[in-house]
Amino acid sequence: MSSTEDEASFDPASIGGHYVAYADSLRAFLFGLLRNRDLANEALQATFGIAVQKGAEVNAASIRSWLFQVAYNEAMGIRRREGIESRNLERLSWISRKRSETPEEDLVRRESVRRVRDAMRELPTEQLQVVQLRIY
């Protein structure tokens, strides 16, 4: 790749213009898919990261649909990751239930798992990543 092609792959003015034009609708779209503001913002950031890398390869007339497709792919990747984490928490919960002696203990453990999940959803992205790395 020549240096002129490298320069063409990143045009801050056009990426900034696309961000201004499409960020709000992309964020709403991503929130609808992920139902979590922080995850939607994470996917939006990843979408524009890809736009910086590959946006020059896209026809200007189809940039909006391309951005939405990239955003959708990013959201699905996050949902897959979240699904894996949810299944892991369910497994941990199942192990706890298997060891419990009474229905009351089962209820307390399930409530604890639910509270941990809810608390994890409220963490900022950076802190959530630290917790996830520590757990998994």
Side-chain angles (χ1 to χ4, degrees), residues 1-11 52-53 56:
M1 186 183 286
S2 71
S3 65
T4 57
E5 288 178 83
D6 288 338
E7 292 169 6
S9 68
F10 177 69
D11 178 11
V52 166
Q53 294 171 356

Side-chain angles (χ1 to χ4, degrees), residues 55-72:
E57 301 169 11
V58 179
N59 181 349
S62 62
I63 191 73
R64 183 179 188 279
S65 61
W66 181 81
L67 284 170
F68 273 87
Q69 184 61 51
V70 171
Y72 176 81

